[in-house]
Amino acid sequence: MSLTSRILFTPPTTIKLSPSIPPPSAFCPLKTPSLSSNSPHPSLLRFTHITKSPSSLFARVFSSFNPTATTTPPTMGDAPDAGMDAVQRRLMFEDECILVDENDRVVGHDSKYNCHLWENILKGNALHRAFSVFLFNSKHELLLQQRSATKVTFPLVWTNTCCSHPLYRESELIHEDALGVRNAAQRKLFDELGIPAEDVPVDQFSPLGRILYKAPSDGKWGEHELDYLLFIVRDVSVNPNPDEVADIKYVNQDELKELLRKADAGEEGLKLSPWFRLVVDNFLFKWWDHVEKGTLEEAADMKAIHKLT
């Protein structure tokens, strides 16, 4: 059993700000903290994990940043975690997504559980920041993953290398050059695929664009995301986490087109995630050509937010 499988869910503790703590507005807009000569190099900030303990000043400030955010899950009598294993329960209730408006401005935070309830999405209260990593090896093959059977949303579907969320923590809220999102991508590539941080330096991710989409998973769950599309070309060591990933494969362009054909024909029960299919249909193959030519910077457009359906 993995270490994460033994972690039990503990409801978050409400923490009051002391009078000495500056108001949340003092922390906006977010910038990389100033470092003294004795401070670690800024690149090490990506390994910082902000907790909710009373000893963490930043966590206390941001736990109260948006008083309207719903961070406490429903009572256990409502069985909100019915059917979840221990790992997914912890992620759904402890991880807090970054709520944004349609212009990608931060408006608050909420649990992953609340952000993915379809009823909340339909009410327009759950738009959150996300990222999708497309990792290519030196042969320009794309690494795909099949999501594990225990995933709450979209289990067993095939998708791009890694899809997840930057969390409401200091290192992943840095807006400049999408550094917060790139920090989160490095973290999740290790969590899901066991790819070491040194194999995917944050400065090697190329943010190419942003999409906004909404998609149901089933009657209870769905996605409503403002998704950063990150490309990276690296040969990496991969050791998938079975709690997150059922299978992986590298594909070239022709092999991906065959997967698309099978998914469209309903062959072999093969399904693709809706966000991956949107990227494939709108951007992927022309961006893939830039990967092969070494001209990815020509494809980047981080000013537009593409609303896709």
Side-chain angles (χ1 to χ4, degrees):
M1 182 180 293
S2 66
L3 174 60
T4 53
S5 299
R6 296 195 296 268
I7 300 175
L8 298 179
F9 163 66
T10 303
T13 303
T14 301
I15 302 168
K16 295 183 178 180
L17 295 176
S18 69
S20 62
I21 297 175
S25 59
F27 291 86
C28 300
L30 290 165
K31 297 181 180 179
T32 305
S34 299
L35 300 175
S36 69
S37 59
N38 294 322
S39 299
H41 188 274
S43 64
L44 296 180
L45 290 174
R46 62 181 177 270
F47 298 110
T48 302
H49 293 277
I50 303 301
T51 68
K52 297 183 183 178
S53 66
S55 61
S56 172
L57 170 62
F58 193 91
R60 290 189 306 222
V61 171
F62 274 80
S63 67
S64 301
F65 178 62
N66 178 17
T68 64
T70 307
T71 56
T72 303
T75 62
M76 297 307 292
D78 297 330
D81 59 344
M84 297 182 199
D85 68 7
V87 172
Q88 297 303 320
R89 185 183 304 116
R90 176 181 62 82
L91 295 174
M92 292 297 282
F93 291 120
E94 292 189 2
D95 283 359
E96 289 196 351
C97 296
I98 302 168
L99 297 177
V100 295
D101 64 17
E102 292 195 353
N103 294 309
D104 200 18
R105 292 186 293 245
V106 177
V107 297
H109 56 101
D110 209 341
S111 68
K112 186 180 290 186
Y113 178 93
N114 286 329
C115 286
H116 292 84
L117 281 174
W118 189 241
E119 62 180 292
N120 289 345
I121 293 171
L122 293 179
K123 293 175 183 176
N125 299 330
L127 178 60
H128 55 280
R129 195 172 284 167
F131 64 82
S132 292
V133 174
F134 293 74
L135 185 148
F136 299 81
N137 62 19
S138 57
K139 295 189 291 185
H140 304 139
E141 296 169 325
L142 174 62
L143 179 60
L144 303 181
Q145 70 153 280
Q146 183 184 33
R147 292 161 65 87
S148 77
T150 60
K151 298 289 281 188
V152 175
T153 59
F154 303 99
L156 292 177
V157 304
W158 282 91
T159 191
N160 48 284
T161 312
C162 180
C163 326
S164 192
H165 315 87
L167 300 181
Y168 201 77
R169 57 177 59 163
E170 181 178 15
S171 61
E172 298 181 13
L173 277 160
I174 303 170
H175 181 71
E176 186 176 1
D177 297 326
L179 179 57
V181 174
R182 290 186 283 127
N183 284 339
Q186 185 190 63
R187 171 179 58 83
K188 286 303 291 184
L189 283 168
F190 178 75
D191 289 349
E192 293 190 0
L193 293 162
I195 299 175
E198 58 267 25
D199 282 6
V200 283
V202 291
D203 61 359
Q204 294 299 301
F205 289 99
S206 296
L208 295 190
R210 293 175 292 175
I211 64 172
L212 194 159
Y213 76 95
K214 182 188 299 183
S217 176
D218 54 26
K220 182 175 182 179
W221 306 105
E223 290 284 9
H224 191 201
E225 296 184 330
L226 201 154
D227 194 7
Y228 284 64
L229 308 179
L230 306 177
F231 274 44
I232 185 169
V233 183
R234 303 280 293 187
D235 288 322
V236 299
S237 172
V238 183
N239 183 24
N241 175 359
D243 289 323
E244 297 283 350
V245 177
D247 198 3
I248 61 170
K249 65 174 67 179
Y250 280 97
V251 295
N252 59 31
Q253 292 198 37
D254 289 338
E255 289 167 337
L256 178 58
K257 289 174 182 177
E258 176 62 12
L259 285 179
L260 298 176
R261 186 197 66 76
K262 289 182 178 180
D264 289 343
E267 295 180 14
E268 302 174 11
L270 193 148
K271 295 181 180 179
L272 304 177
S273 73
W275 60 88
F276 179 50
R277 191 59 192 256
L278 287 171
V279 176
V280 169
D281 291 344
N282 289 276
F283 307 109
L284 180 59
F285 289 109
K286 60 184 176 182
W287 287 353
W288 204 325
D289 290 339
H290 283 288
V291 170
E292 295 178 349
K293 296 175 183 177
T295 56
L296 267 179
E297 67 281 355
E298 296 179 10
D301 178 8
M302 292 303 293
K303 293 182 179 179
I305 297 174
H306 301 276
K307 295 183 180 181
L308 303 180
T309 55

